[in-house]
Amino acid sequence: MERNNSIPIRNIYYMLSYAYQTLNLSEYKQIGTENFENVKELYAKILAIGIPVLIRGGLSKDYISVEETSNVIKGKIDINSTINKNALVIKKVAVVYDEFSVNILLNQIIKATLVYLSRSNKISQKMRRFFYGLLSYFAEVSDVELNLKLWKNLRYNRQNIRYHFIVDVCRYLYEHLLFDESSTSHMMKEVQEEQRLWSLYEKFIYAFFKRETKYKVSHPRIQWSVDDEFTDALPIMQTDLVLQKDKKTLIVDAKFYSENMVARFEGGTAKQKSSNLYQMFTYVNNWKKERGETVAGMLLYAKTIALNQPNHIYHIKGNQILVVSLDLQQDFKGIKENLIAYANQFFCIDL
């Protein structure tokens, strides 16, 4: 694969800093001055700081359903369960009630991560002991087997949003260690790494423009411009990023691939990925313009080490589509300058 996955650890730290504003808190300031040999060390250090912060703030609680046999009636009596368990013989009944508890999925994931890390030989013995020491704070939390499906069942709200960053880092680190230890093919590991970095790349791009520019920044869904209001089975058009200013709108889609351009045969001329162009052309054409509004699209690729990189401006049926590539291996100052310059190609203003 042509992608150079060795994005400097410092840049991954900066991307995380933008994607998760939590990383800007005082507790994490020391991380920005440290040198890490690999990204696993960075993630482990973040958890070593972040999990104690969660503990000090109090573990999040929520109501969970509890089923038990008891001689005290509380909640609802489960007649069928009472009969099946012969509970009446010992003068008890099966009851179901809600309990305000720390034994929720978010805490279960963190506890399972701590157990996993405390046993992993991929991190230092000192760090393993530290993570093991944190387990006592999760004594009332049930043990679950750590697997990637757990993260799919998470739901965040105002009460537990402080968990978002740490639980995401738990996943990043677990995936790194899991694939290091597995017999999964090298190609499959690269695919998993690409997907993980793509997710972070999207979050970073959005947060960067939100913090560093004066544009109106959003990521709305675009509705299909149908003639009869029938939209059943049409795919969702979810934007990564939309920048707006002075009757100008730029729809941005972040792309993180092993190959940014393709050739039909070895040695052939590299071409744009047609599916990406079709996607952006569709976004632009279905955007509901206001009177006097100008709309354009941008495909923002993460640069690979291939010789040919996307760097084009197309004008198609009155629509401007910019295709650019961002070098994530350069100094972060250069990344910031490039992103501002790419947007300015369309807006033609100094921020």
Side-chain angles (χ1 to χ4, degrees):
M1 302 179 85
E2 67 180 40
R3 157 154 291 282
N4 187 339
N5 282 320
S6 57
I7 299 174
I9 306 301
R10 181 75 60 194
N11 285 351
I12 291 181
Y13 166 75
Y14 285 129
M15 291 168 69
L16 286 166
S17 296
Y18 278 90
Y20 301 92
Q21 295 185 18
T22 308
L23 200 52
N24 296 314
L25 298 178
S26 59
E27 291 90 347
Y28 297 102
K29 293 298 184 183
Q30 67 186 81
I31 297 178
T33 62
E34 295 188 28
N35 293 317
F36 300 98
E37 292 186 5
N38 54 62
V39 73
K40 291 188 287 291
E41 289 187 1
L42 171 63
Y43 293 151
K45 184 65 175 181
I46 290 172
L47 293 184
I49 296 173
I51 294 178
V53 170
L54 286 180
I55 292 171
R56 289 197 296 272
L59 296 182
S60 186
K61 294 183 178 182
D62 204 349
Y63 286 100
I64 61 173
S65 181
V66 177
E67 300 179 18
E68 65 178 25
T69 55
S70 172
N71 54 11
V72 177
I73 297 177
K74 50 184 174 179
K76 297 179 180 179
I77 298 175
D78 188 333
I79 300 297
N80 291 332
S81 182
T82 299
I83 295 172
N84 292 336
K85 294 179 180 180
N86 291 322
L88 292 175
V89 175
I90 54 175
K91 298 181 180 180
K92 290 185 177 183
V93 292
V95 294
V96 180
Y97 61 94
D98 290 335
E99 182 178 74
F100 198 54
S101 170
V102 296
N103 192 24
I104 59 176
L105 182 57
L106 287 167
N107 291 327
Q108 290 170 357
I109 287 176
I110 292 179
K111 181 179 182 180
T113 302
L114 290 172
V115 171
Y116 183 80
L117 294 177
S118 66
R119 299 171 180 173
S120 175
N121 60 7
K122 297 296 181 179
I123 60 176
S124 68
Q125 185 179 41
K126 179 181 179 181
M127 195 67 81
R128 291 200 300 271
R129 289 176 177 173
F130 178 80
F131 287 134
Y132 180 79
L134 296 178
L135 283 170
S136 60
Y137 295 96
F138 294 82
E140 298 179 18
V141 178
S142 298
D143 292 314
V144 296
E145 184 178 351
L146 203 58
N147 63 75
L148 298 178
K149 294 180 181 179
L150 291 176
W151 278 269
K152 294 181 180 180
N153 297 320
L154 292 176
R155 296 294 182 271
Y156 292 100
N157 53 46
R158 290 183 180 180
Q159 284 69 44
N160 63 27
I161 193 64
R162 63 193 179 98
Y163 273 72
H164 195 177
F165 174 51
I166 292 302
V167 172
D168 274 5
V169 174
C170 283
R171 176 171 182 167
Y172 294 154
L173 182 54
Y174 171 67
E175 287 180 338
H176 266 286
L177 297 176
L178 175 66
F179 285 104
D180 280 352
E181 296 167 1
S182 72
S183 58
T184 306
S185 70
H186 179 70
M187 180 175 291
M188 189 61 191
K189 290 179 181 179
E190 285 193 338
V191 169
Q192 292 291 336
E193 176 69 1
E194 181 179 301
Q195 292 174 347
R196 182 164 50 250
L197 290 175
W198 190 340
S199 176
L200 176 58
Y201 181 56
E202 288 179 352
K203 290 185 177 73
F204 159 64
I205 295 298
Y206 179 86
F208 174 86
F209 282 103
K210 191 81 171 177
R211 187 194 304 182
E212 299 290 347
T213 73
K214 296 179 181 178
Y215 298 125
K216 177 184 176 183
V217 179
S218 61
H219 48 81
R221 286 185 178 180
I222 299 175
Q223 303 301 317
W224 287 90
S225 298
V226 295
D227 296 329
D228 56 2
E229 298 185 1
F230 181 73
T231 59
D232 289 6
L234 284 176
I236 293 173
M237 292 188 286
Q238 177 63 61
T239 59
D240 290 342
L241 171 69
V242 172
L243 304 177
Q244 293 178 294
K245 188 176 180 70
D246 299 332
K247 292 279 189 173
K248 286 189 173 184
T249 298
L250 181 63
I251 304 170
V252 182
D253 205 72
K255 302 295 186 184
F256 196 105
Y257 293 124
S258 58
E259 296 178 332
N260 288 336
M261 300 183 74
V262 293
R264 289 190 175 183
F265 52 88
E266 187 174 352
T269 303
K271 301 289 186 181
Q272 302 290 349
K273 289 193 171 184
S274 58
S275 59
N276 294 344
L277 281 174
Y278 296 154
Q279 175 193 10
M280 185 53 67
F281 187 70
T282 303
Y283 281 8
V284 171
N285 275 276
N286 282 274
W287 182 269
K288 292 184 178 180
K289 295 183 183 180
E290 296 181 358
R291 185 183 297 274
E293 183 180 8
T294 302
V295 181
M298 176 186 287
L299 294 170
L300 181 54
Y301 290 92
K303 186 179 180 180
T304 69
I305 60 173
L307 180 62
N308 293 314
Q309 292 296 312
N311 185 19
H312 308 84
I313 299 178
Y314 300 104
H315 297 271
I316 306 173
K317 286 198 171 185
N319 298 309
Q320 187 181 59
I321 297 180
L322 302 92
V323 186
V324 297
S325 53
L326 179 65
D327 184 1
L328 295 175
Q329 296 191 29
Q330 65 179 313
D331 183 83
F332 196 75
K333 180 181 178 182
I335 293 175
K336 294 175 66 174
E337 292 174 350
N338 287 166
L339 287 173
I340 297 295
Y342 292 154
N344 283 349
Q345 287 185 72
F346 173 65
F347 289 97
C348 298
I349 59 173
D350 295 321
L351 297 182

